[in-house]
Amino acid sequence: MADAVQERHREVGLLVNNAGIAGRGNFLDLEPERIEALVRINYLGSVWCLLALLPALEAGAPSHVVNVVSVAGTVAIGPYSASKHAQLAFSRSVARELRPRGIHVHTVNPGFVHTEGFPQDWLLRGRFGRVVIGPEVVADRIVGAIEHDRTEIFVPRWYRAAALAQAIAPATFRRVRARRAPPS
């Protein structure tokens, strides 16, 4: 597969990794196949796309890789979050490796974005409708990240607070979201 991609694309200046499938639920409720699909698509999709296009990105240097992760990747809430956390760690790791090759890596952590694949109707109908943004906002911020060589951004910016809360006070953050498991 990588050979076919490399044969078709000899020089690439921009790769946007935005693969993702939803995975609402937790590790105890989701089917193992769904958890595996989350990891395969949300995390490994970015890895395989980058590796397939790496020679073309090097040929197009200076070039850019944009990994659209999620604010969910910065907090610990279920399998979707874990798959996005893996993608976040990949993005941060590969940024260091690719910079000397002339490839700039940008990590974009959007919050709730209303798209066909991720409809946010349940939020839009409630009092939290203001936290939902459109894809055009994310696109504009991606362009800005590339133009200003920002390595990691949150869209909207105030979502960074959730990541900071998780990092600074993980036990408190966990208690806010915790549910008691039924006795076995």
Side-chain angles (χ1 to χ4, degrees):
M1 175 74 88
D3 292 337
V5 170
Q6 292 168 12
E7 193 170 308
R8 258 183 111 179
H9 304 282
R10 303 234 182 258
E11 191 173 307
V12 172
L14 174 64
L15 166 63
V16 179
N17 281 317
N18 190 28
I21 60 170
R24 294 193 199 282
N26 61 47
F27 286 102
L28 304 179
D29 296 334
L30 282 181
E31 309 82 33
E33 298 80 18
R34 185 60 175 189
I35 294 170
E36 195 168 307
L38 284 165
V39 172
R40 222 177 30 254
I41 294 167
N42 295 355
Y43 164 55
L44 290 175
S46 294
V47 174
W48 303 147
C49 284
L50 173 64
L51 292 177
L53 287 165
L54 184 57
L57 287 160
E58 289 177 316
S63 55
H64 299 269
V65 173
V66 177
N67 291 313
V68 181
V69 180
S70 171
V71 71
T74 67
V75 295
I77 304 173
Y80 176 80
S81 177
S83 71
K84 289 300 193 169
H85 187 74
Q87 186 188 24
L88 176 64
F90 163 72
S91 191
R92 289 173 174 171
S93 297
V94 81
R96 182 187 54 80
E97 295 178 40
L98 295 179
R99 183 64 86 152
R101 298 178 182 211
I103 303 169
H104 303 258
V105 177
H106 311 276
T107 305
V108 178
N109 297 308
F112 293 104
V113 182
H114 186 70
T115 64
E116 186 177 319
F118 286 84
Q120 305 295 342
D121 297 335
W122 64 281
L123 275 173
L124 287 171
R125 284 190 293 268
R127 63 181 175 192
F128 296 109
R130 294 179 302 189
V131 302
V132 180
I133 59 173
E136 64 284 343
V137 175
V138 179
D140 287 344
R141 292 292 309 280
I142 288 171
V143 171
I146 293 168
E147 288 175 345
H148 301 288
D149 200 26
R150 303 267 191 259
T151 56
E152 189 167 331
I153 64 168
F154 287 78
V155 184
R157 287 177 183 91
W158 55 264
Y159 271 112
R160 181 180 300 275
L164 291 173
Q166 171 78 56
I168 293 169
T172 302
F173 191 86
R174 182 178 56 242
R175 280 192 297 272
V176 170
R177 293 284 303 165
R179 292 187 319 189
R180 269 196 195 271
S184 43

